[in-house]
Amino acid sequence: MLITTLIAAVISIAAGACIRAWAFAIFAFIVAIGFGGVVFVDGSSAAVAIGSGIAILALMEIGYLTGVFLSGLLRRNARRRESNSADGVSAASERQQS
């Protein structure tokens, strides 16, 4: 169960950087239904199975949002570095021409 949770979290974080929100929502919903079904088949009650499905869905959504945030932060920092280096090059070339 712990390994499944860790795998779901890692996949969700990676998906946050790669796929659209609607595609991930469909994927997460299907995974949560499957996870709840497996818990139910293992002999747990329906309430426990539903609770497990909702828990894994919440974990996956939090992981997705974390991935979106981290990828946006990395893109913003890369853009900032590019603009800073471009400003430094243009300023140096202007000084040489003067």
Side-chain angles (χ1 to χ4, degrees), residues 1 4 7 26 34 38 43 50 66 82 87-88 93-94 97:
M1 183 99 149
T4 304
I7 291 171
I26 293 169
V38 168
I50 292 170
T66 302
E82 285 179 7
D87 291 342
S93 65
E94 287 174 3
Q97 290 176 356

Side-chain angles (χ1 to χ4, degrees), residues 1 3 6 17 19 24-25 33 41 43 48 50 53 64 76 78 83 87 89 91 96-97:
M1 183 99 149
I3 293 172
L6 290 174
I19 64 174
F24 181 76
I33 289 172
V41 169
V48 171
I50 292 170
Y64 180 80
R76 190 173 313 128
S83 68
D87 291 342
V89 170
Q96 289 177 354
Q97 290 176 356

